[in-house]
Amino acid sequence: MTGITTHVLDITTGQPARGLQVELYDVATDPPTLLNKTRTNPDGRTDSPILPSASARTGQFELRFYVGDHFKAPDGLSDVVPVRFAIFDAAQHYHVPLLCAPWFFSTYRGS
Amino acid sequence: MANDDLLQPARRQFALSALALSAAALLPAAAGAQTPAPANPAQGSGPIVLHGVSPRLTVHALDTYHGAAATGLRIDFSKLEGGSYKLVRTVTANANGRSDEPLLIDESYQAGDYELLLHVDDYFASKGAKLPTPPFLSKVPVRIRVVNVAERIHLPIQFGPWSYTYSRGS
């Protein structure tokens, strides 16, 4: 498998973040180009890869996670969390999860 | 009790002197040095206490790849104004991984949306890290919202070539 997948986990509940809006942009263009806009399913993933294998290519991408709408914490540290990264080898799969709480955000290249 | 003894300044000083003498005895090669150089510069300074200081935004960047303060990391600090981020200032993480001055303090510490753009690619290139081209992480945007200016925000950021974490610290 190639392309980009994501997974959002809410560490305040220990559960997947369900129904959280996620967008994928191509940020090599100015302004960035919206490639996909979806919401996480009950497993905290998107039903289909946010960048499907058929569209896999090298480039600069950005995931945007709408955590403010999810947590609804008035003093939350972030509203929309951007995660900007490169696909440097289109033959590889890029799994980019987000672990989050209203005051904590962590992302990494997963598998 | 031994712990109570350590709370008395004179005895504590005596205990510390004894420890220093013991350490010197164990390290004959360093015995002539006034203050031995720290083995790891990243661990060379103690914790910084921010409790009770005036409202401000401070940042602390740590490089989890090398286990060190992210000395030399460039951070472009911007504020969201009229739909785009306008540069406020560029700072470079000091020996302790912090900016020399708070990013915002007193009158400049205002509610709003801010961005710290971390130049992670240049940082790891300067360290000679062997990474793909382009690297997975290049310019990392960390966007935060200041809501209550009566409360200071400390922002610790831990990053490596393949991951980063930030949170509200203390």
Side-chain angles (χ1 to χ4, degrees):
Chain A
M1 161 170 198
T2 59
I4 299 169
T5 56
T6 188
H7 192 188
V8 189
L9 292 158
D10 177 345
I11 65 167
T12 66
T13 60
Q15 297 285 327
R18 304 176 182 88
L20 187 142
Q21 183 177 325
V22 187
E23 296 168 347
L24 178 71
Y25 288 82
D26 178 342
V27 289
T29 63
D30 186 18
T33 306
L34 179 66
L35 301 177
N36 199 350
K37 176 178 174 176
T38 184
R39 288 186 182 270
T40 54
N41 63 22
D43 191 37
R45 302 174 193 268
T46 56
D47 283 335
S48 54
I50 198 156
L51 184 73
S53 294
S55 305
R57 57 184 171 84
T58 57
Q60 296 286 340
F61 298 89
E62 183 174 296
L63 285 164
R64 291 184 193 168
F65 298 93
Y66 285 70
V67 296
D69 291 342
H70 175 75
F71 287 115
K72 298 182 171 62
D75 58 346
L77 185 61
S78 295
D79 182 34
V80 178
V81 172
V83 176
R84 197 175 294 170
F85 60 93
I87 289 186
F88 48 84
D89 178 1
Q92 294 182 24
H93 170 212
Y94 290 74
H95 184 57
V96 184
L98 181 73
L99 313 183
C100 57
W103 308 275
F104 173 96
F105 304 93
S106 187
T107 187
Y108 53 96
R109 186 173 179 200
S111 70
Chain B
M1 285 171 60
N3 283 346
D4 292 336
D5 288 347
L6 286 175
L7 292 175
Q8 298 175 27
R11 287 176 181 268
R12 186 168 178 273
Q13 191 55 51
F14 174 78
L16 289 173
S17 303
L19 282 172
L21 284 171
S22 308
L26 288 170
L27 294 168
Q34 289 287 326
T35 44
N40 182 342
Q43 311 299 332
S45 51
I48 290 175
V49 176
L50 289 168
H51 179 71
V53 299
S54 63
R56 62 190 63 192
L57 172 65
T58 51
V59 64
H60 191 188
L62 291 162
D63 166 1
T64 59
Y65 184 60
H66 296 95
T71 306
L73 174 72
R74 175 178 163 181
I75 302 172
D76 296 331
F77 179 64
S78 303
K79 183 176 187 183
L80 185 64
E81 284 174 357
S84 64
Y85 285 91
K86 302 286 194 308
L87 185 68
V88 175
R89 70 171 63 87
T90 291
V91 299
T92 302
N94 63 21
N96 196 240
R98 301 167 194 263
S99 57
D100 285 333
E101 303 296 329
L103 295 175
L104 298 170
I105 185 167
D106 299 333
E107 305 81 53
S108 70
Y109 186 54
Q110 294 178 0
D113 289 289
Y114 297 91
E115 178 184 88
L116 289 80
L117 191 69
L118 316 180
H119 290 234
V120 168
D121 50 352
D122 297 337
Y123 174 82
F124 283 117
S126 76
K127 300 279 176 187
K130 291 187 169 46
L131 297 171
T133 304
F136 180 63
L137 298 177
S138 295
K139 305 285 189 273
V140 170
V142 170
R143 292 185 181 158
I144 63 160
R145 174 168 285 177
V146 173
V147 177
N148 180 1
V149 295
E151 293 181 354
R152 64 187 167 77
I153 292 181
H154 180 58
L155 185 68
I157 304 171
Q158 296 101 44
F159 68 93
W162 304 94
S163 68
Y164 61 93
T165 297
Y166 68 95
S167 55
R168 184 164 181 189
S170 156

